[in-house]
Amino acid sequence: MKRYLLTVAFILSALFINGQTINHDNAQQILTDVLMAQKALQGAVIFSDMKGNDIASADCRMTKRGLKPCKQDFMNIVAEKSKQFSYGDCRADYAELKGLDVAAKGATDKSDRKRHYWGSLTVYYPAENPQYRIFVIMEQDMRNGTYYGVPLCTPIVARMIETLKN
């Protein structure tokens, strides 16, 4: 799958719904803030409409010199994992995360590195008549805190939905 879905180099056009905007810049800021707060190693977020059109995406990894774009091997994993759950799967595992009206499914997978895990969360918002799909994945060293998909990725989803509501 082409890297254009997730790279920082491409700034995707903003979508205006009821006067609200989610674009690359605020998706990147939300991801960066949560990544640093969670002390995660790297992460990515894809925000799209129900037709599969990308609205915004962001990715970054922590390095000794600060935040950098993710490497291609992680981006390949993101592309693969982002297709993992459909609305039907999420609907079957319906969850109201922190009072958010979403259909969601979380997953946790062992990374290819020792003590590292990928926590992911696929969300459809709103749950009953979804207009948006949000996919978040983060890599976490199990020694740095939670590495399960739902608690690791929920703060990003919550902030994106708050941005849409405001």
Side-chain angles (χ1 to χ4, degrees):
M1 180 171 248
K2 293 184 180 179
R3 186 162 164 82
Y4 71 87
L5 291 175
L6 300 167
T7 57
V8 175
F10 289 93
I11 299 177
L12 301 173
S13 62
L15 178 72
F16 293 89
I17 301 285
N18 298 326
Q20 303 309 313
T21 304
I22 290 276
N23 60 29
H24 170 80
D25 292 335
N26 52 14
Q28 186 71 46
Q29 187 62 52
I30 290 167
L31 176 65
T32 301
D33 290 349
V34 174
L35 190 83
M36 292 176 72
Q38 298 274 17
K39 298 179 183 173
L41 303 170
Q42 57 187 344
V45 60
I46 303 170
F47 181 67
S48 59
D49 64 20
M50 289 304 292
K51 294 178 183 175
N53 300 316
D54 285 343
I55 298 166
S57 62
D59 70 273
C60 59
R61 63 187 169 99
M62 300 291 287
T63 69
K64 291 179 181 177
R65 294 183 179 157
L67 295 171
K68 303 281 183 189
C70 290
K71 292 183 178 177
Q72 185 62 47
D73 60 342
F74 184 73
M75 301 314 290
N76 292 337
I77 291 161
V78 171
E80 177 188 324
K81 299 281 183 198
S82 69
K83 300 174 189 172
Q84 192 171 14
F85 299 117
S86 68
Y87 174 63
D89 297 326
C90 294
R91 193 70 187 124
D93 197 30
Y94 179 79
E96 292 221 15
L97 302 172
K98 294 186 179 181
L100 302 174
D101 179 28
V102 299
K105 180 92 173 152
T108 305
D109 295 317
K110 182 93 171 85
S111 171
D112 54 355
R113 296 193 287 176
K114 190 175 181 180
R115 293 187 302 269
H116 290 205
Y117 287 83
W118 296 305
S120 66
L121 184 62
T122 303
V123 170
Y124 289 88
Y125 172 78
E128 292 303 322
N129 186 19
Q131 296 177 347
Y132 306 105
R133 179 180 180 273
I134 303 168
F135 173 76
V136 180
I137 187 169
M138 295 173 74
E139 183 177 356
Q140 177 69 290
D141 184 325
M142 63 186 287
R143 298 170 293 182
N144 286 349
T146 187
Y147 56 89
Y148 296 110
V150 174
L152 187 63
C153 300
T154 297
I156 293 171
V157 171
R159 284 192 47 196
M160 292 186 83
I161 290 173
E162 286 171 21
T163 302
L164 282 172
K165 287 181 176 181
N166 293 331

